[in-house]
Amino acid sequence: MKFTVVNGPNLNLLGLREPDLYGSLTLKQINQRLEQRASELGVELVFFQSNHEGDLVDALQKAGKETQGVILNAAAYTHTSVALRDAILCLEIPVIEVHLTNPQAREEFRQKSLIAAVCQGTVAGFGGASYLMALDWLALYKRE
């Protein structure tokens, strides 16, 4: 089993960017924790991060051809990108929307996700553990 983890804009700055809000973990540390859990689950992971919307669309399309599921933190594009929504709609694999914080407890403009309705589910508000929860579900779902 192989899954893709796609991270959007500014997530490369985790650990530096607003640590009081997003925590002190870096994206590299989150990915290392995911790799450890993936190893326990017998799953392979592919990681991708970009600050560019079109690159994220390309990564989703590639994931749809090469892997069995996606963990997606679209970051700010969650609230603005019809292109990402359309890319997810084209996939025949499950996509889990992930957020470090709880968008529903944040600014009003962050409370609307354009991608939630086309994702299998959303895990939000648990910091880096949100990714682990999504990975656990994907592995369970694909085994059933």
PDB file of all heavy atoms in Angstrom, residues 52-80:
ATOM      1  N   HIS A  52       2.735  26.464  -4.470  1.00  0.00           N
ATOM      2  CA  HIS A  52       2.133  26.819  -5.752  1.00  0.00           C
ATOM      3  C   HIS A  52       0.937  25.908  -6.065  1.00  0.00           C
ATOM      4  O   HIS A  52       1.061  24.683  -6.108  1.00  0.00           O
ATOM      5  CB  HIS A  52       3.179  26.733  -6.863  1.00  0.00           C
ATOM      6  CG  HIS A  52       4.383  27.565  -6.574  1.00  0.00           C
ATOM      7  ND1 HIS A  52       4.399  28.927  -6.754  1.00  0.00           N
ATOM      8  CD2 HIS A  52       5.599  27.231  -6.075  1.00  0.00           C
ATOM      9  CE1 HIS A  52       5.574  29.391  -6.393  1.00  0.00           C
ATOM     10  NE2 HIS A  52       6.320  28.391  -5.963  1.00  0.00           N
ATOM     11  N   GLU A  53      -0.182  26.523  -6.326  1.00  0.00           N
ATOM     12  CA  GLU A  53      -1.438  25.806  -6.539  1.00  0.00           C
ATOM     13  C   GLU A  53      -1.352  24.766  -7.668  1.00  0.00           C
ATOM     14  O   GLU A  53      -1.788  23.625  -7.510  1.00  0.00           O
ATOM     15  CB  GLU A  53      -2.534  26.823  -6.827  1.00  0.00           C
ATOM     16  CG  GLU A  53      -3.914  26.249  -6.946  1.00  0.00           C
ATOM     17  CD  GLU A  53      -4.945  27.338  -7.174  1.00  0.00           C
ATOM     18  OE1 GLU A  53      -4.615  28.416  -7.711  1.00  0.00           O
ATOM     19  OE2 GLU A  53      -6.114  27.086  -6.820  1.00  0.00           O
ATOM     20  N   GLY A  54      -0.790  25.150  -8.808  1.00  0.00           N
ATOM     21  CA  GLY A  54      -0.700  24.222  -9.932  1.00  0.00           C
ATOM     22  C   GLY A  54       0.155  23.010  -9.618  1.00  0.00           C
ATOM     23  O   GLY A  54      -0.146  21.895 -10.056  1.00  0.00           O
ATOM     24  N   ASP A  55       1.217  23.201  -8.845  1.00  0.00           N
ATOM     25  CA  ASP A  55       2.058  22.072  -8.436  1.00  0.00           C
ATOM     26  C   ASP A  55       1.275  21.104  -7.559  1.00  0.00           C
ATOM     27  O   ASP A  55       1.459  19.883  -7.642  1.00  0.00           O
ATOM     28  CB  ASP A  55       3.294  22.558  -7.680  1.00  0.00           C
ATOM     29  CG  ASP A  55       4.271  23.320  -8.560  1.00  0.00           C
ATOM     30  OD1 ASP A  55       4.176  23.227  -9.806  1.00  0.00           O
ATOM     31  OD2 ASP A  55       5.141  24.016  -7.993  1.00  0.00           O
ATOM     32  N   LEU A  56       0.403  21.635  -6.718  1.00  0.00           N
ATOM     33  CA  LEU A  56      -0.433  20.789  -5.865  1.00  0.00           C
ATOM     34  C   LEU A  56      -1.433  19.999  -6.706  1.00  0.00           C
ATOM     35  O   LEU A  56      -1.670  18.808  -6.451  1.00  0.00           O
ATOM     36  CB  LEU A  56      -1.145  21.629  -4.813  1.00  0.00           C
ATOM     37  CG  LEU A  56      -0.220  22.336  -3.814  1.00  0.00           C
ATOM     38  CD1 LEU A  56      -1.006  23.334  -2.970  1.00  0.00           C
ATOM     39  CD2 LEU A  56       0.509  21.339  -2.944  1.00  0.00           C
ATOM     40  N   VAL A  57      -1.997  20.633  -7.714  1.00  0.00           N
ATOM     41  CA  VAL A  57      -2.902  19.934  -8.640  1.00  0.00           C
ATOM     42  C   VAL A  57      -2.147  18.802  -9.335  1.00  0.00           C
ATOM     43  O   VAL A  57      -2.640  17.663  -9.408  1.00  0.00           O
ATOM     44  CB  VAL A  57      -3.510  20.912  -9.670  1.00  0.00           C
ATOM     45  CG1 VAL A  57      -4.231  20.159 -10.781  1.00  0.00           C
ATOM     46  CG2 VAL A  57      -4.459  21.894  -8.989  1.00  0.00           C
ATOM     47  N   ASP A  58      -0.948  19.089  -9.819  1.00  0.00           N
ATOM     48  CA  ASP A  58      -0.131  18.054 -10.461  1.00  0.00           C
ATOM     49  C   ASP A  58       0.150  16.902  -9.510  1.00  0.00           C
ATOM     50  O   ASP A  58       0.093  15.733  -9.901  1.00  0.00           O
ATOM     51  CB  ASP A  58       1.200  18.635 -10.962  1.00  0.00           C
ATOM     52  CG  ASP A  58       1.034  19.585 -12.140  1.00  0.00           C
ATOM     53  OD1 ASP A  58      -0.028  19.571 -12.798  1.00  0.00           O
ATOM     54  OD2 ASP A  58       1.992  20.351 -12.392  1.00  0.00           O
ATOM     55  N   ALA A  59       0.469  17.219  -8.252  1.00  0.00           N
ATOM     56  CA  ALA A  59       0.768  16.173  -7.263  1.00  0.00           C
ATOM     57  C   ALA A  59      -0.451  15.297  -7.005  1.00  0.00           C
ATOM     58  O   ALA A  59      -0.329  14.075  -6.871  1.00  0.00           O
ATOM     59  CB  ALA A  59       1.262  16.805  -5.966  1.00  0.00           C
ATOM     60  N   LEU A  60      -1.630  15.902  -6.943  1.00  0.00           N
ATOM     61  CA  LEU A  60      -2.852  15.115  -6.750  1.00  0.00           C
ATOM     62  C   LEU A  60      -3.117  14.204  -7.943  1.00  0.00           C
ATOM     63  O   LEU A  60      -3.465  13.024  -7.779  1.00  0.00           O
ATOM     64  CB  LEU A  60      -4.046  16.043  -6.507  1.00  0.00           C
ATOM     65  CG  LEU A  60      -4.074  16.756  -5.159  1.00  0.00           C
ATOM     66  CD1 LEU A  60      -5.164  17.822  -5.138  1.00  0.00           C
ATOM     67  CD2 LEU A  60      -4.266  15.758  -4.030  1.00  0.00           C
ATOM     68  N   GLN A  61      -2.951  14.729  -9.144  1.00  0.00           N
ATOM     69  CA  GLN A  61      -3.163  13.902 -10.336  1.00  0.00           C
ATOM     70  C   GLN A  61      -2.179  12.732 -10.373  1.00  0.00           C
ATOM     71  O   GLN A  61      -2.561  11.604 -10.705  1.00  0.00           O
ATOM     72  CB  GLN A  61      -3.036  14.757 -11.587  1.00  0.00           C
ATOM     73  CG  GLN A  61      -4.172  15.741 -11.751  1.00  0.00           C
ATOM     74  CD  GLN A  61      -3.990  16.667 -12.936  1.00  0.00           C
ATOM     75  OE1 GLN A  61      -2.992  16.623 -13.642  1.00  0.00           O
ATOM     76  NE2 GLN A  61      -4.974  17.527 -13.165  1.00  0.00           N
ATOM     77  N   LYS A  62      -0.931  12.996 -10.038  1.00  0.00           N
ATOM     78  CA  LYS A  62       0.081  11.934  -9.996  1.00  0.00           C
ATOM     79  C   LYS A  62      -0.271  10.896  -8.933  1.00  0.00           C
ATOM     80  O   LYS A  62      -0.179   9.689  -9.172  1.00  0.00           O
ATOM     81  CB  LYS A  62       1.454  12.544  -9.720  1.00  0.00           C
ATOM     82  CG  LYS A  62       2.572  11.537  -9.710  1.00  0.00           C
ATOM     83  CD  LYS A  62       3.926  12.212  -9.520  1.00  0.00           C
ATOM     84  CE  LYS A  62       5.029  11.154  -9.537  1.00  0.00           C
ATOM     85  NZ  LYS A  62       6.346  11.739  -9.281  1.00  0.00           N
ATOM     86  N   ALA A  63      -0.707  11.367  -7.763  1.00  0.00           N
ATOM     87  CA  ALA A  63      -1.090  10.454  -6.683  1.00  0.00           C
ATOM     88  C   ALA A  63      -2.224   9.538  -7.122  1.00  0.00           C
ATOM     89  O   ALA A  63      -2.247   8.352  -6.779  1.00  0.00           O
ATOM     90  CB  ALA A  63      -1.501  11.246  -5.446  1.00  0.00           C
ATOM     91  N   GLY A  64      -3.156  10.081  -7.885  1.00  0.00           N
ATOM     92  CA  GLY A  64      -4.281   9.279  -8.361  1.00  0.00           C
ATOM     93  C   GLY A  64      -3.867   8.140  -9.263  1.00  0.00           C
ATOM     94  O   GLY A  64      -4.561   7.130  -9.359  1.00  0.00           O
ATOM     95  N   LYS A  65      -2.722   8.279  -9.916  1.00  0.00           N
ATOM     96  CA  LYS A  65      -2.218   7.227 -10.810  1.00  0.00           C
ATOM     97  C   LYS A  65      -1.280   6.257 -10.109  1.00  0.00           C
ATOM     98  O   LYS A  65      -1.143   5.119 -10.534  1.00  0.00           O
ATOM     99  CB  LYS A  65      -1.462   7.868 -11.981  1.00  0.00           C
ATOM    100  CG  LYS A  65      -2.319   8.715 -12.881  1.00  0.00           C
ATOM    101  CD  LYS A  65      -1.479   9.408 -13.930  1.00  0.00           C
ATOM    102  CE  LYS A  65      -2.305  10.405 -14.724  1.00  0.00           C
ATOM    103  NZ  LYS A  65      -1.475  11.294 -15.524  1.00  0.00           N
ATOM    104  N   GLU A  66      -0.613   6.721  -9.040  1.00  0.00           N
ATOM    105  CA  GLU A  66       0.489   5.939  -8.470  1.00  0.00           C
ATOM    106  C   GLU A  66       0.271   5.463  -7.040  1.00  0.00           C
ATOM    107  O   GLU A  66       1.048   4.649  -6.554  1.00  0.00           O
ATOM    108  CB  GLU A  66       1.778   6.768  -8.535  1.00  0.00           C
ATOM    109  CG  GLU A  66       2.171   7.125  -9.957  1.00  0.00           C
ATOM    110  CD  GLU A  66       3.412   7.984 -10.044  1.00  0.00           C
ATOM    111  OE1 GLU A  66       4.016   8.309  -8.994  1.00  0.00           O
ATOM    112  OE2 GLU A  66       3.788   8.347 -11.182  1.00  0.00           O
ATOM    113  N   THR A  67      -0.752   5.982  -6.338  1.00  0.00           N
ATOM    114  CA  THR A  67      -0.941   5.584  -4.950  1.00  0.00           C
ATOM    115  C   THR A  67      -2.412   5.269  -4.676  1.00  0.00           C
ATOM    116  O   THR A  67      -3.271   5.490  -5.529  1.00  0.00           O
ATOM    117  CB  THR A  67      -0.423   6.674  -3.978  1.00  0.00           C
ATOM    118  OG1 THR A  67      -1.186   7.870  -4.123  1.00  0.00           O
ATOM    119  CG2 THR A  67       1.048   6.991  -4.237  1.00  0.00           C
ATOM    120  N   GLN A  68      -2.675   4.786  -3.469  1.00  0.00           N
ATOM    121  CA  GLN A  68      -4.024   4.329  -3.131  1.00  0.00           C
ATOM    122  C   GLN A  68      -4.799   5.303  -2.242  1.00  0.00           C
ATOM    123  O   GLN A  68      -5.927   5.024  -1.857  1.00  0.00           O
ATOM    124  CB  GLN A  68      -3.956   2.962  -2.439  1.00  0.00           C
ATOM    125  CG  GLN A  68      -3.589   1.828  -3.374  1.00  0.00           C
ATOM    126  CD  GLN A  68      -2.097   1.801  -3.692  1.00  0.00           C
ATOM    127  OE1 GLN A  68      -1.259   1.889  -2.810  1.00  0.00           O
ATOM    128  NE2 GLN A  68      -1.775   1.677  -4.973  1.00  0.00           N
ATOM    129  N   GLY A  69      -4.200   6.433  -1.894  1.00  0.00           N
ATOM    130  CA  GLY A  69      -4.887   7.410  -1.060  1.00  0.00           C
ATOM    131  C   GLY A  69      -4.031   8.639  -0.859  1.00  0.00           C
ATOM    132  O   GLY A  69      -2.819   8.610  -1.082  1.00  0.00           O
ATOM    133  N   VAL A  70      -4.676   9.729  -0.414  1.00  0.00           N
ATOM    134  CA  VAL A  70      -3.984  11.008  -0.216  1.00  0.00           C
ATOM    135  C   VAL A  70      -4.362  11.596   1.133  1.00  0.00           C
ATOM    136  O   VAL A  70      -5.537  11.599   1.515  1.00  0.00           O
ATOM    137  CB  VAL A  70      -4.356  12.022  -1.322  1.00  0.00           C
ATOM    138  CG1 VAL A  70      -3.752  13.399  -1.038  1.00  0.00           C
ATOM    139  CG2 VAL A  70      -3.918  11.523  -2.686  1.00  0.00           C
ATOM    140  N   ILE A  71      -3.352  12.097   1.818  1.00  0.00           N
ATOM    141  CA  ILE A  71      -3.530  12.947   2.991  1.00  0.00           C
ATOM    142  C   ILE A  71      -3.183  14.347   2.511  1.00  0.00           C
ATOM    143  O   ILE A  71      -2.062  14.598   2.074  1.00  0.00           O
ATOM    144  CB  ILE A  71      -2.615  12.513   4.146  1.00  0.00           C
ATOM    145  CG1 ILE A  71      -2.979  11.092   4.591  1.00  0.00           C
ATOM    146  CG2 ILE A  71      -2.701  13.509   5.301  1.00  0.00           C
ATOM    147  CD1 ILE A  71      -1.973  10.460   5.532  1.00  0.00           C
ATOM    148  N   LEU A  72      -4.151  15.258   2.577  1.00  0.00           N
ATOM    149  CA  LEU A  72      -3.981  16.590   1.988  1.00  0.00           C
ATOM    150  C   LEU A  72      -4.192  17.689   3.015  1.00  0.00           C
ATOM    151  O   LEU A  72      -5.282  17.808   3.586  1.00  0.00           O
ATOM    152  CB  LEU A  72      -4.986  16.784   0.845  1.00  0.00           C
ATOM    153  CG  LEU A  72      -5.098  18.192   0.248  1.00  0.00           C
ATOM    154  CD1 LEU A  72      -3.788  18.645  -0.388  1.00  0.00           C
ATOM    155  CD2 LEU A  72      -6.238  18.241  -0.761  1.00  0.00           C
ATOM    156  N   ASN A  73      -3.143  18.469   3.239  1.00  0.00           N
ATOM    157  CA  ASN A  73      -3.287  19.722   3.978  1.00  0.00           C
ATOM    158  C   ASN A  73      -3.101  20.821   2.945  1.00  0.00           C
ATOM    159  O   ASN A  73      -1.978  21.193   2.605  1.00  0.00           O
ATOM    160  CB  ASN A  73      -2.262  19.844   5.109  1.00  0.00           C
ATOM    161  CG  ASN A  73      -2.497  21.083   5.949  1.00  0.00           C
ATOM    162  OD1 ASN A  73      -3.166  22.014   5.532  1.00  0.00           O
ATOM    163  ND2 ASN A  73      -1.938  21.090   7.149  1.00  0.00           N
ATOM    164  N   ALA A  74      -4.199  21.312   2.421  1.00  0.00           N
ATOM    165  CA  ALA A  74      -4.155  22.336   1.380  1.00  0.00           C
ATOM    166  C   ALA A  74      -3.876  23.718   1.950  1.00  0.00           C
ATOM    167  O   ALA A  74      -3.737  24.679   1.189  1.00  0.00           O
ATOM    168  CB  ALA A  74      -5.464  22.339   0.596  1.00  0.00           C
ATOM    169  N   ALA A  75      -3.807  23.824   3.281  1.00  0.00           N
ATOM    170  CA  ALA A  75      -3.521  25.086   3.958  1.00  0.00           C
ATOM    171  C   ALA A  75      -4.481  26.171   3.453  1.00  0.00           C
ATOM    172  O   ALA A  75      -5.670  25.913   3.335  1.00  0.00           O
ATOM    173  CB  ALA A  75      -2.052  25.454   3.792  1.00  0.00           C
ATOM    174  N   ALA A  76      -3.976  27.343   3.132  1.00  0.00           N
ATOM    175  CA  ALA A  76      -4.841  28.456   2.730  1.00  0.00           C
ATOM    176  C   ALA A  76      -5.656  28.151   1.471  1.00  0.00           C
ATOM    177  O   ALA A  76      -6.756  28.687   1.299  1.00  0.00           O
ATOM    178  CB  ALA A  76      -4.009  29.715   2.526  1.00  0.00           C
ATOM    179  N   TYR A  77      -5.147  27.264   0.620  1.00  0.00           N
ATOM    180  CA  TYR A  77      -5.902  26.914  -0.593  1.00  0.00           C
ATOM    181  C   TYR A  77      -7.192  26.163  -0.272  1.00  0.00           C
ATOM    182  O   TYR A  77      -8.077  26.060  -1.125  1.00  0.00           O
ATOM    183  CB  TYR A  77      -5.050  26.101  -1.555  1.00  0.00           C
ATOM    184  CG  TYR A  77      -3.966  26.902  -2.245  1.00  0.00           C
ATOM    185  CD1 TYR A  77      -2.673  26.410  -2.339  1.00  0.00           C
ATOM    186  CD2 TYR A  77      -4.230  28.144  -2.811  1.00  0.00           C
ATOM    187  CE1 TYR A  77      -1.674  27.126  -2.977  1.00  0.00           C
ATOM    188  CE2 TYR A  77      -3.240  28.874  -3.447  1.00  0.00           C
ATOM    189  CZ  TYR A  77      -1.966  28.357  -3.524  1.00  0.00           C
ATOM    190  OH  TYR A  77      -0.979  29.071  -4.150  1.00  0.00           O
ATOM    191  N   THR A  78      -7.308  25.644   0.941  1.00  0.00           N
ATOM    192  CA  THR A  78      -8.543  24.999   1.379  1.00  0.00           C
ATOM    193  C   THR A  78      -9.739  25.915   1.151  1.00  0.00           C
ATOM    194  O   THR A  78     -10.817  25.464   0.777  1.00  0.00           O
ATOM    195  CB  THR A  78      -8.452  24.678   2.888  1.00  0.00           C
ATOM    196  OG1 THR A  78      -7.364  23.781   3.097  1.00  0.00           O
ATOM    197  CG2 THR A  78      -9.736  24.098   3.421  1.00  0.00           C
ATOM    198  N   HIS A  79      -9.521  27.199   1.382  1.00  0.00           N
ATOM    199  CA  HIS A  79     -10.607  28.176   1.397  1.00  0.00           C
ATOM    200  C   HIS A  79     -10.781  28.913   0.077  1.00  0.00           C
ATOM    201  O   HIS A  79     -11.719  29.702  -0.064  1.00  0.00           O
ATOM    202  CB  HIS A  79     -10.348  29.196   2.514  1.00  0.00           C
ATOM    203  CG  HIS A  79      -9.806  28.568   3.748  1.00  0.00           C
ATOM    204  ND1 HIS A  79     -10.554  27.753   4.568  1.00  0.00           N
ATOM    205  CD2 HIS A  79      -8.552  28.585   4.272  1.00  0.00           C
ATOM    206  CE1 HIS A  79      -9.790  27.321   5.557  1.00  0.00           C
ATOM    207  NE2 HIS A  79      -8.575  27.806   5.397  1.00  0.00           N
ATOM    208  N   THR A  80      -9.896  28.655  -0.890  1.00  0.00           N
ATOM    209  CA  THR A  80      -9.912  29.469  -2.109  1.00  0.00           C
ATOM    210  C   THR A  80      -9.822  28.695  -3.416  1.00  0.00           C
ATOM    211  O   THR A  80     -10.106  29.252  -4.464  1.00  0.00           O
ATOM    212  CB  THR A  80      -8.726  30.462  -2.098  1.00  0.00           C
ATOM    213  OG1 THR A  80      -7.497  29.720  -2.109  1.00  0.00           O
ATOM    214  CG2 THR A  80      -8.768  31.378  -0.889  1.00  0.00           C
TER     215      THR A  80
END
